[in-house]
């Protein structure tokens, strides 16, 4: 897909680790620089090369049926990882996260956290991910569902494109437009959170544990789980980038003539800087909120 975030780097590294020569693979990897047109071109080139399997992390969720039909006509199985494709089902399996659950978990944690802290009014600013990405859509919808239920105010919601520069640019604008009006900032990935922290530092806005603003992030890459432990980020909702091992299992099933599951969800955890919210209930399921200690941080795989 690209190289826009730490999350992407972890996902890419996992693919290189799993689909190695010593593991019996020949890997053709194309970085499409977050450009959907380049991604479609790369898939068509893979078809021309007559590859055995094509794995796609779709930058956006639409515009895929034509090229997936071409893969099907060429007899090349397609496996989708991470983000979803909403306009075609011409692929063997999808392996990834439930992005709406991530957004719901964020909202349920914030409700419990605010209640414990005696915060009765939530005025939130959201820095969205890339427009049209299923990760953005799911996290936005999930958090908004809780915000609407709880009567919170979402003052604004703009895309930072999952990058640090984008997060900083949007947060600088927010600090100008909503000075003194907001007490929550939701960043839809860690790199946007890094940019938002720079912008708030420059604007003299305090955030994190003991700050004026509750700062929330998604992805939970290890350096940002460290920031949770340090109290800079109040909560971080993991998006597990390690789909490659599951994709390898799918390929082995196909090689053995078996039929893999169509949808396979990776496991994810929720991290917090304080231990005042031990569990939350998401879609009726009770889930732990992990208080980040050095032991928790040391155990993080990426
Ligand atoms: C989500 C993934 C998102 C990450 C961002 O699964 O697609 O894209 O949350 C990344 O960090 O850029």
């Amino acid at each position: 897909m690209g190289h826009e975030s730490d999350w992407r780097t972890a996902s890419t590294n996992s693919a290189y680790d799993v689909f190695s020569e010593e593991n019996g693979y020949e890997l053709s990897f194309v970085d499409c620089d977050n450009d959907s047109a380049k991604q479609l071109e790369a898939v068509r080139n893979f078809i021309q090369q007559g590859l055995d399997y094509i794995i796609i992390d779709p930058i956006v969720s639409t515009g895929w049926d034509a090229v997936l039909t071409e893969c099907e006509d060429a007899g090349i199985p397609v496996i989708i990882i991470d983000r979803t494709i909403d306009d075609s089902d011409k692929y063997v399996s999808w392996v990834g996260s439930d992005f709406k659950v991530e957004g719901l978990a964020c909202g349920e944690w914030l409700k419990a956290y605010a209640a414990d802290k005696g915060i009765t009014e939530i005025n939130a600013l959201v820095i969205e991910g890339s427009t049209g990405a299923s990760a953005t859509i799911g996290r936005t919808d999930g958090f908004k569902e809780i915000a609407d239920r709880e009567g919170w105010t979402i003052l604004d919601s703009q895309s930072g494109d999952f990058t640090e520069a984008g997060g900083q640019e949007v947060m600088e604008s927010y600090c100008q437009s909503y000075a003194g009006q907001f007490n929550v900032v939701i960043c839809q990935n860690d790199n946007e959170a890094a940019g938002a922290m720079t912008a708030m530092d420059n604007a003299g806005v305090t955030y994190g544990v003991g700050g004026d603003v509750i700062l929330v992030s998604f992805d939970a890459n290890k350096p940002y789980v460290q920031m949770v432990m340090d109290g800079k980020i109040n909560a971080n909702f993991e998006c597990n980038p390690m789909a490659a091992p599951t994709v390898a299992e799918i390929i082995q099933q196909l090689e053995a003539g078996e039929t893999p599951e169509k949808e396979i969800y990776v496991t994810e955890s929720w991290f917090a800087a304080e231990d005042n919210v031990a569990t939350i209930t998401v879609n009726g399921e009770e889930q732990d909120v992990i208080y980040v200690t050095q032991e928790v941080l040391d155990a993080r795989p990426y």
Side-chain angles (χ1 to χ4, degrees):
M1 216 189 88
H3 47 271
E4 76 287 352
S5 65
D6 292 30
W7 188 97
R8 188 65 52 204
T9 302
S11 173
T12 297
N13 291 345
S14 174
Y16 276 105
D17 290 347
V18 170
F19 304 119
S20 63
E21 279 189 30
E22 54 265 30
N23 287 343
Y25 296 90
E26 181 184 337
L27 176 65
S28 299
F29 192 99
V30 176
D31 175 332
C32 297
D33 195 19
N34 238 4
D35 179 330
S36 300
K38 284 185 183 173
Q39 209 166 41
L40 297 176
E41 181 188 349
V43 173
R44 289 190 164 105
N45 287 338
F46 286 159
I47 295 171
Q48 290 306 317
Q49 295 164 34
L51 299 183
D52 297 308
Y53 297 94
I54 295 176
I55 305 165
I56 304 170
D57 186 338
I59 295 168
V60 293
S61 52
T62 54
W64 284 100
D65 194 56
V67 78
L68 293 184
T69 304
E70 291 165 36
C71 292
E72 191 174 65
D73 293 346
I76 303 176
V78 173
I79 299 163
I80 307 299
I81 63 167
D82 179 28
R83 299 182 188 176
T84 57
I85 284 177
D86 298 341
D87 71 338
S88 178
D89 65 355
K90 297 186 177 87
Y91 53 84
V92 171
S93 296
W94 168 84
V95 182
S97 305
D98 189 326
F99 303 119
K100 183 166 182 183
V101 161
E102 293 171 3
L104 291 169
C106 170
E108 295 294 5
W109 172 84
L110 181 58
K111 173 179 184 281
Y113 182 82
D116 178 74
K117 296 287 184 179
I119 299 170
T120 55
E121 190 176 337
I122 297 291
N123 293 296
L125 289 167
V126 179
I127 302 179
E128 294 180 12
S130 302
T131 302
S134 55
T136 303
I137 295 164
R139 290 170 191 161
T140 302
D141 291 353
F143 180 72
K144 188 175 183 306
E145 184 172 307
I146 307 301
D148 290 349
R149 186 192 74 192
E150 298 299 319
W152 299 339
T153 300
I154 297 178
L155 294 164
D156 209 336
S157 192
Q158 295 177 27
S159 173
D161 210 15
F162 283 135
T163 65
E164 182 167 346
Q168 182 173 341
E169 184 181 340
V170 171
M171 195 68 234
E172 284 168 353
S173 167
Y174 283 166
C175 287
Q176 295 294 324
S177 306
Y178 302 100
Q181 298 175 46
F182 61 96
N183 60 350
V184 175
V185 172
I186 308 288
C187 299
Q188 289 189 351
N189 86 329
D190 286 332
N191 297 79
E192 291 176 342
M197 284 187 263
T198 300
M200 287 192 280
D201 288 342
N202 294 340
V205 175
T206 60
Y207 51 85
V209 176
D212 292 334
V213 172
I214 297 166
L215 178 59
V216 172
S217 184
F218 290 84
D219 283 353
N221 292 288
K222 190 166 186 173
Y224 299 84
V225 176
Q226 169 90 52
M227 292 179 201
V228 173
M229 189 175 78
D230 296 343
K232 290 182 179 176
I233 296 175
N234 294 87
N236 204 328
F237 297 84
E238 180 187 13
C239 182
N240 184 337
M242 301 296 176
T246 304
V247 172
E249 290 170 11
I250 291 167
I251 289 173
Q252 296 314 315
Q253 286 177 295
L254 293 168
E255 291 283 299
E258 297 164 9
T259 304
E261 287 178 66
K262 184 77 174 182
E263 284 188 346
I264 301 169
Y265 287 91
V266 293
T267 58
E268 308 195 312
S269 302
W270 320 134
F271 299 96
E274 299 165 84
D275 62 357
N276 61 330
V277 177
T279 61
I280 54 175
T281 300
V282 180
N283 289 339
E285 180 192 325
E286 187 172 60
Q287 299 175 354
D288 292 338
V289 176
I290 298 171
Y291 168 54
V292 181
T293 61
Q294 188 63 51
E295 183 183 4
V296 166
L297 181 67
D298 293 346
R300 292 300 300 151
Y302 55 84

